[in-house]
mmCIF file of all heavy atoms in Angstrom:
data_model
loop_
_atom_site.group_PDB
_atom_site.id
_atom_site.type_symbol
_atom_site.label_atom_id
_atom_site.label_comp_id
_atom_site.label_asym_id
_atom_site.label_seq_id
_atom_site.Cartn_x
_atom_site.Cartn_y
_atom_site.Cartn_z
ATOM 1 N N VAL S 103 -17.443 25.094 -3.001
ATOM 2 C CA VAL S 103 -18.440 24.538 -3.910
ATOM 3 C C VAL S 103 -19.739 24.485 -3.117
ATOM 4 O O VAL S 103 -19.808 23.844 -2.066
ATOM 5 C CB VAL S 103 -18.045 23.118 -4.382
ATOM 6 C CG1 VAL S 103 -19.116 22.545 -5.305
ATOM 7 C CG2 VAL S 103 -16.696 23.153 -5.091
ATOM 8 N N ASP S 104 -20.732 25.185 -3.626
ATOM 9 C CA ASP S 104 -21.965 25.362 -2.868
ATOM 10 C C ASP S 104 -23.157 24.805 -3.638
ATOM 11 O O ASP S 104 -23.482 25.332 -4.709
ATOM 12 C CB ASP S 104 -22.154 26.866 -2.625
ATOM 13 C CG ASP S 104 -22.864 27.148 -1.328
ATOM 14 O OD1 ASP S 104 -23.237 26.184 -0.641
ATOM 15 O OD2 ASP S 104 -23.045 28.339 -1.018
ATOM 16 N N GLU S 105 -23.780 23.770 -3.125
ATOM 17 C CA GLU S 105 -25.011 23.245 -3.723
ATOM 18 C C GLU S 105 -26.152 24.062 -3.106
ATOM 19 O O GLU S 105 -26.188 24.242 -1.890
ATOM 20 C CB GLU S 105 -25.128 21.750 -3.413
ATOM 21 C CG GLU S 105 -26.160 21.009 -4.236
ATOM 22 C CD GLU S 105 -27.584 21.288 -3.808
ATOM 23 O OE1 GLU S 105 -27.807 21.525 -2.597
ATOM 24 O OE2 GLU S 105 -28.473 21.281 -4.666
ATOM 25 N N THR S 106 -27.057 24.539 -3.932
ATOM 26 C CA THR S 106 -27.974 25.562 -3.414
ATOM 27 C C THR S 106 -29.432 25.116 -3.298
ATOM 28 O O THR S 106 -30.301 25.943 -3.081
ATOM 29 C CB THR S 106 -27.919 26.819 -4.312
ATOM 30 O OG1 THR S 106 -28.252 26.421 -5.647
ATOM 31 C CG2 THR S 106 -26.551 27.466 -4.289
ATOM 32 N N SER S 107 -29.711 23.835 -3.465
ATOM 33 C CA SER S 107 -31.106 23.409 -3.347
ATOM 34 C C SER S 107 -31.254 22.290 -2.307
ATOM 35 O O SER S 107 -31.838 22.485 -1.240
ATOM 36 C CB SER S 107 -31.613 22.956 -4.719
ATOM 37 O OG SER S 107 -32.859 22.352 -4.607
ATOM 38 N N LEU S 108 -30.653 21.139 -2.611
ATOM 39 C CA LEU S 108 -30.807 19.979 -1.716
ATOM 40 C C LEU S 108 -30.161 20.218 -0.353
ATOM 41 O O LEU S 108 -30.498 19.559 0.631
ATOM 42 C CB LEU S 108 -30.154 18.746 -2.353
ATOM 43 C CG LEU S 108 -30.680 18.322 -3.723
ATOM 44 C CD1 LEU S 108 -29.803 17.219 -4.300
ATOM 45 C CD2 LEU S 108 -32.123 17.850 -3.614
ATOM 46 N N SER S 109 -29.234 21.174 -0.304
ATOM 47 C CA SER S 109 -28.470 21.406 0.942
ATOM 48 C C SER S 109 -29.250 22.174 1.994
ATOM 49 O O SER S 109 -28.736 22.376 3.091
ATOM 50 C CB SER S 109 -27.215 22.231 0.646
ATOM 51 O OG SER S 109 -26.426 21.608 -0.291
ATOM 52 N N HIS S 110 -30.445 22.640 1.637
ATOM 53 C CA HIS S 110 -31.142 23.523 2.579
ATOM 54 C C HIS S 110 -32.102 22.815 3.508
ATOM 55 O O HIS S 110 -32.746 23.448 4.337
ATOM 56 C CB HIS S 110 -31.847 24.649 1.804
ATOM 57 C CG HIS S 110 -30.860 25.612 1.214
ATOM 58 N ND1 HIS S 110 -31.122 26.405 0.135
ATOM 59 C CD2 HIS S 110 -29.577 25.864 1.562
ATOM 60 C CE1 HIS S 110 -30.055 27.121 -0.164
ATOM 61 N NE2 HIS S 110 -29.104 26.801 0.691
ATOM 62 N N THR S 111 -32.221 21.492 3.356
ATOM 63 C CA THR S 111 -33.137 20.763 4.232
ATOM 64 C C THR S 111 -32.343 19.852 5.166
ATOM 65 O O THR S 111 -31.119 19.764 5.072
ATOM 66 C CB THR S 111 -34.083 19.860 3.400
ATOM 67 O OG1 THR S 111 -33.271 18.924 2.681
ATOM 68 C CG2 THR S 111 -34.891 20.671 2.412
ATOM 69 N N LEU S 112 -33.036 19.164 6.040
ATOM 70 C CA LEU S 112 -32.481 18.077 6.862
ATOM 71 C C LEU S 112 -31.138 18.464 7.485
ATOM 72 O O LEU S 112 -31.046 19.411 8.240
ATOM 73 C CB LEU S 112 -32.369 16.794 6.008
ATOM 74 C CG LEU S 112 -33.675 16.352 5.320
ATOM 75 C CD1 LEU S 112 -33.425 15.198 4.369
ATOM 76 C CD2 LEU S 112 -34.733 15.980 6.339
ATOM 77 N N GLU S 113 -30.070 17.724 7.170
ATOM 78 C CA GLU S 113 -28.750 18.008 7.764
ATOM 79 C C GLU S 113 -28.289 19.431 7.454
ATOM 80 O O GLU S 113 -27.687 20.095 8.282
ATOM 81 C CB GLU S 113 -27.710 17.029 7.205
ATOM 82 C CG GLU S 113 -27.830 15.635 7.747
ATOM 83 C CD GLU S 113 -27.690 15.620 9.251
ATOM 84 O OE1 GLU S 113 -26.579 15.787 9.742
ATOM 85 O OE2 GLU S 113 -28.719 15.452 9.930
ATOM 86 N N GLY S 114 -28.593 19.880 6.241
ATOM 87 C CA GLY S 114 -28.131 21.209 5.821
ATOM 88 C C GLY S 114 -28.797 22.308 6.633
ATOM 89 O O GLY S 114 -28.185 23.339 6.927
ATOM 90 N N LYS S 115 -30.056 22.070 7.008
ATOM 91 C CA LYS S 115 -30.788 23.074 7.798
ATOM 92 C C LYS S 115 -30.232 23.120 9.225
ATOM 93 O O LYS S 115 -30.056 24.178 9.810
ATOM 94 C CB LYS S 115 -32.269 22.679 7.822
ATOM 95 C CG LYS S 115 -33.196 23.765 8.263
ATOM 96 C CD LYS S 115 -34.609 23.363 7.927
ATOM 97 C CE LYS S 115 -35.595 24.275 8.602
ATOM 98 N NZ LYS S 115 -36.963 23.765 8.412
ATOM 99 N N SER S 116 -29.932 21.936 9.762
ATOM 100 C CA SER S 116 -29.420 21.873 11.136
ATOM 101 C C SER S 116 -27.949 22.241 11.218
ATOM 102 O O SER S 116 -27.464 22.630 12.269
ATOM 103 C CB SER S 116 -29.565 20.451 11.691
ATOM 104 O OG SER S 116 -30.909 20.114 11.787
ATOM 105 N N ARG S 117 -27.227 22.049 10.116
ATOM 106 C CA ARG S 117 -25.771 22.271 10.143
ATOM 107 C C ARG S 117 -25.383 23.185 8.982
ATOM 108 O O ARG S 117 -24.814 22.733 7.981
ATOM 109 C CB ARG S 117 -25.044 20.922 10.028
ATOM 110 C CG ARG S 117 -25.470 19.906 11.081
ATOM 111 C CD ARG S 117 -24.841 18.552 10.825
ATOM 112 N NE ARG S 117 -23.410 18.569 11.040
ATOM 113 C CZ ARG S 117 -22.591 17.543 10.727
ATOM 114 N NH1 ARG S 117 -23.077 16.441 10.199
ATOM 115 N NH2 ARG S 117 -21.298 17.624 10.949
ATOM 116 N N PRO S 118 -25.711 24.494 9.109
ATOM 117 C CA PRO S 118 -25.435 25.407 7.989
ATOM 118 C C PRO S 118 -23.960 25.358 7.594
ATOM 119 O O PRO S 118 -23.087 25.354 8.454
ATOM 120 C CB PRO S 118 -25.808 26.790 8.560
ATOM 121 C CG PRO S 118 -26.643 26.526 9.769
ATOM 122 C CD PRO S 118 -26.251 25.175 10.299
ATOM 123 N N GLY S 119 -23.713 25.314 6.308
ATOM 124 C CA GLY S 119 -22.330 25.298 5.803
ATOM 125 C C GLY S 119 -21.728 23.898 5.713
ATOM 126 O O GLY S 119 -20.681 23.709 5.094
ATOM 127 N N HIS S 120 -22.398 22.907 6.322
ATOM 128 C CA HIS S 120 -21.843 21.544 6.335
ATOM 129 C C HIS S 120 -21.612 21.023 4.917
ATOM 130 O O HIS S 120 -20.524 20.552 4.576
ATOM 131 C CB HIS S 120 -22.785 20.621 7.114
ATOM 132 C CG HIS S 120 -22.430 19.174 7.004
ATOM 133 N ND1 HIS S 120 -21.297 18.644 7.576
ATOM 134 C CD2 HIS S 120 -23.042 18.138 6.359
ATOM 135 C CE1 HIS S 120 -21.232 17.351 7.312
ATOM 136 N NE2 HIS S 120 -22.270 17.019 6.569
ATOM 137 N N PHE S 121 -22.646 21.131 4.072
ATOM 138 C CA PHE S 121 -22.501 20.544 2.735
ATOM 139 C C PHE S 121 -21.585 21.365 1.829
ATOM 140 O O PHE S 121 -21.008 20.837 0.886
ATOM 141 C CB PHE S 121 -23.872 20.299 2.104
ATOM 142 C CG PHE S 121 -24.586 19.152 2.757
ATOM 143 C CD1 PHE S 121 -25.790 19.337 3.420
ATOM 144 C CD2 PHE S 121 -24.033 17.884 2.740
ATOM 145 C CE1 PHE S 121 -26.433 18.266 4.042
ATOM 146 C CE2 PHE S 121 -24.659 16.809 3.360
ATOM 147 C CZ PHE S 121 -25.868 17.007 4.017
ATOM 148 N N ARG S 122 -21.449 22.651 2.127
ATOM 149 C CA ARG S 122 -20.457 23.444 1.381
ATOM 150 C C ARG S 122 -19.060 22.858 1.674
ATOM 151 O O ARG S 122 -18.240 22.686 0.780
ATOM 152 C CB ARG S 122 -20.518 24.904 1.807
ATOM 153 C CG ARG S 122 -19.505 25.762 1.041
ATOM 154 C CD ARG S 122 -19.502 27.189 1.516
ATOM 155 N NE ARG S 122 -20.838 27.734 1.457
ATOM 156 C CZ ARG S 122 -21.363 28.545 2.371
ATOM 157 N NH1 ARG S 122 -20.647 28.910 3.406
ATOM 158 N NH2 ARG S 122 -22.597 28.979 2.262
ATOM 159 N N GLY S 123 -18.832 22.536 2.935
ATOM 160 C CA GLY S 123 -17.550 21.932 3.320
ATOM 161 C C GLY S 123 -17.357 20.566 2.683
ATOM 162 O O GLY S 123 -16.274 20.247 2.190
ATOM 163 N N VAL S 124 -18.428 19.761 2.674
ATOM 164 C CA VAL S 124 -18.331 18.415 2.074
ATOM 165 C C VAL S 124 -18.060 18.527 0.573
ATOM 166 O O VAL S 124 -17.142 17.891 0.043
ATOM 167 C CB VAL S 124 -19.634 17.608 2.334
ATOM 168 C CG1 VAL S 124 -19.634 16.315 1.528
ATOM 169 C CG2 VAL S 124 -19.803 17.303 3.818
ATOM 170 N N CYS S 125 -18.858 19.347 -0.126
ATOM 171 C CA CYS S 125 -18.694 19.454 -1.584
ATOM 172 C C CYS S 125 -17.307 19.996 -1.925
ATOM 173 O O CYS S 125 -16.668 19.523 -2.878
ATOM 174 C CB CYS S 125 -19.759 20.376 -2.187
ATOM 175 S SG CYS S 125 -21.384 19.621 -2.223
ATOM 176 N N THR S 126 -16.845 20.961 -1.163
ATOM 177 C CA THR S 126 -15.542 21.556 -1.453
ATOM 178 C C THR S 126 -14.438 20.511 -1.321
ATOM 179 O O THR S 126 -13.586 20.370 -2.203
ATOM 180 C CB THR S 126 -15.289 22.759 -0.528
ATOM 181 O OG1 THR S 126 -16.367 23.683 -0.703
ATOM 182 C CG2 THR S 126 -13.975 23.456 -0.848
ATOM 183 N N VAL S 127 -14.465 19.749 -0.241
ATOM 184 C CA VAL S 127 -13.382 18.771 -0.060
ATOM 185 C C VAL S 127 -13.515 17.619 -1.057
ATOM 186 O O VAL S 127 -12.510 17.126 -1.578
ATOM 187 C CB VAL S 127 -13.295 18.272 1.404
ATOM 188 C CG1 VAL S 127 -14.319 17.193 1.725
ATOM 189 C CG2 VAL S 127 -11.895 17.756 1.693
ATOM 190 N N VAL S 128 -14.739 17.195 -1.342
ATOM 191 C CA VAL S 128 -14.898 16.074 -2.289
ATOM 192 C C VAL S 128 -14.468 16.519 -3.697
ATOM 193 O O VAL S 128 -13.804 15.767 -4.413
ATOM 194 C CB VAL S 128 -16.341 15.518 -2.264
ATOM 195 C CG1 VAL S 128 -16.562 14.511 -3.378
ATOM 196 C CG2 VAL S 128 -16.632 14.861 -0.909
ATOM 197 N N ALA S 129 -14.781 17.752 -4.068
ATOM 198 C CA ALA S 129 -14.316 18.260 -5.370
ATOM 199 C C ALA S 129 -12.788 18.240 -5.412
ATOM 200 O O ALA S 129 -12.183 17.836 -6.405
ATOM 201 C CB ALA S 129 -14.844 19.674 -5.601
ATOM 202 N N LYS S 130 -12.151 18.667 -4.323
ATOM 203 C CA LYS S 130 -10.685 18.653 -4.280
ATOM 204 C C LYS S 130 -10.154 17.213 -4.394
ATOM 205 O O LYS S 130 -9.216 16.949 -5.138
ATOM 206 C CB LYS S 130 -10.189 19.297 -2.966
ATOM 207 C CG LYS S 130 -10.255 20.818 -3.000
ATOM 208 C CD LYS S 130 -9.950 21.412 -1.631
ATOM 209 C CE LYS S 130 -8.500 21.256 -1.213
ATOM 210 N NZ LYS S 130 -7.575 22.179 -1.899
ATOM 211 N N LEU S 131 -10.778 16.293 -3.650
ATOM 212 C CA LEU S 131 -10.323 14.895 -3.692
ATOM 213 C C LEU S 131 -10.472 14.314 -5.097
ATOM 214 O O LEU S 131 -9.616 13.569 -5.574
ATOM 215 C CB LEU S 131 -11.090 14.051 -2.672
ATOM 216 C CG LEU S 131 -10.812 14.382 -1.200
ATOM 217 C CD1 LEU S 131 -11.799 13.678 -0.284
ATOM 218 C CD2 LEU S 131 -9.369 14.017 -0.813
ATOM 219 N N PHE S 132 -11.570 14.679 -5.764
ATOM 220 C CA PHE S 132 -11.769 14.191 -7.132
ATOM 221 C C PHE S 132 -10.665 14.737 -8.046
ATOM 222 O O PHE S 132 -10.125 14.023 -8.885
ATOM 223 C CB PHE S 132 -13.142 14.589 -7.669
ATOM 224 C CG PHE S 132 -14.297 13.774 -7.107
ATOM 225 C CD1 PHE S 132 -15.613 14.033 -7.493
ATOM 226 C CD2 PHE S 132 -14.078 12.747 -6.201
ATOM 227 C CE1 PHE S 132 -16.677 13.284 -7.003
ATOM 228 C CE2 PHE S 132 -15.140 11.994 -5.690
ATOM 229 C CZ PHE S 132 -16.441 12.273 -6.092
ATOM 230 N N HIS S 133 -10.310 16.001 -7.883
ATOM 231 C CA HIS S 133 -9.245 16.569 -8.718
ATOM 232 C C HIS S 133 -7.899 15.923 -8.399
ATOM 233 O O HIS S 133 -7.117 15.606 -9.286
ATOM 234 C CB HIS S 133 -9.131 18.077 -8.482
ATOM 235 C CG HIS S 133 -10.241 18.853 -9.110
ATOM 236 N ND1 HIS S 133 -10.644 18.671 -10.410
ATOM 237 C CD2 HIS S 133 -11.037 19.828 -8.617
ATOM 238 C CE1 HIS S 133 -11.643 19.478 -10.687
ATOM 239 N NE2 HIS S 133 -11.905 20.193 -9.621
ATOM 240 N N LEU S 134 -7.648 15.733 -7.119
ATOM 241 C CA LEU S 134 -6.320 15.260 -6.701
ATOM 242 C C LEU S 134 -6.088 13.793 -7.044
ATOM 243 O O LEU S 134 -4.968 13.400 -7.385
ATOM 244 C CB LEU S 134 -6.147 15.461 -5.190
ATOM 245 C CG LEU S 134 -6.056 16.925 -4.751
ATOM 246 C CD1 LEU S 134 -6.129 17.037 -3.229
ATOM 247 C CD2 LEU S 134 -4.756 17.517 -5.254
ATOM 248 N N LEU S 135 -7.145 12.977 -6.925
ATOM 249 C CA LEU S 135 -6.960 11.533 -7.094
ATOM 250 C C LEU S 135 -7.471 11.022 -8.446
ATOM 251 O O LEU S 135 -7.221 9.866 -8.794
ATOM 252 C CB LEU S 135 -7.631 10.777 -5.941
ATOM 253 C CG LEU S 135 -6.880 10.983 -4.622
ATOM 254 C CD1 LEU S 135 -7.831 11.075 -3.453
ATOM 255 C CD2 LEU S 135 -5.886 9.863 -4.384
ATOM 256 N N SER S 136 -8.211 11.867 -9.166
ATOM 257 C CA SER S 136 -8.755 11.501 -10.489
ATOM 258 C C SER S 136 -9.383 10.110 -10.505
ATOM 259 O O SER S 136 -9.004 9.265 -11.322
ATOM 260 C CB SER S 136 -7.664 11.543 -11.561
ATOM 261 O OG SER S 136 -7.017 12.767 -11.536
ATOM 262 N N PRO S 137 -10.328 9.837 -9.612
ATOM 263 C CA PRO S 137 -10.917 8.491 -9.637
ATOM 264 C C PRO S 137 -11.861 8.311 -10.820
ATOM 265 O O PRO S 137 -12.453 9.270 -11.304
ATOM 266 C CB PRO S 137 -11.707 8.442 -8.321
ATOM 267 C CG PRO S 137 -12.081 9.861 -8.053
ATOM 268 C CD PRO S 137 -10.959 10.703 -8.604
ATOM 269 N N THR S 138 -12.000 7.067 -11.248
ATOM 270 C CA THR S 138 -13.002 6.707 -12.262
ATOM 271 C C THR S 138 -14.383 6.698 -11.590
ATOM 272 O O THR S 138 -15.387 7.047 -12.176
ATOM 273 C CB THR S 138 -12.727 5.263 -12.767
ATOM 274 O OG1 THR S 138 -11.336 5.105 -12.926
ATOM 275 C CG2 THR S 138 -13.464 4.956 -14.030
ATOM 276 N N ALA S 139 -14.382 6.230 -10.348
ATOM 277 C CA ALA S 139 -15.630 6.130 -9.583
ATOM 278 C C ALA S 139 -15.304 6.395 -8.110
ATOM 279 O O ALA S 139 -14.153 6.283 -7.691
ATOM 280 C CB ALA S 139 -16.235 4.739 -9.749
ATOM 281 N N ALA S 140 -16.339 6.756 -7.353
ATOM 282 C CA ALA S 140 -16.154 6.972 -5.918
ATOM 283 C C ALA S 140 -17.350 6.369 -5.189
ATOM 284 O O ALA S 140 -18.481 6.411 -5.688
ATOM 285 C CB ALA S 140 -16.038 8.455 -5.606
ATOM 286 N N VAL S 141 -17.075 5.796 -4.019
ATOM 287 C CA VAL S 141 -18.112 5.074 -3.271
ATOM 288 C C VAL S 141 -18.517 5.884 -2.036
ATOM 289 O O VAL S 141 -17.661 6.295 -1.250
ATOM 290 C CB VAL S 141 -17.587 3.692 -2.796
ATOM 291 C CG1 VAL S 141 -18.738 2.832 -2.297
ATOM 292 C CG2 VAL S 141 -16.847 2.983 -3.904
#
Side-chain angles (χ1 to χ4, degrees):
V103 179
D104 211 358
E105 194 285 328
T106 57
S107 171
L108 302 172
S109 303
H110 290 156
T111 61
L112 306 173
E113 286 301 286
K115 196 167 168 187
S116 296
R117 305 174 68 188
H120 171 69
F121 288 118
R122 180 183 306 141
V124 171
C125 287
T126 303
V127 80
V128 171
K130 282 172 70 75
L131 293 169
F132 285 179
H133 286 312
L134 292 170
L135 290 143
S136 307
T138 319
V141 192

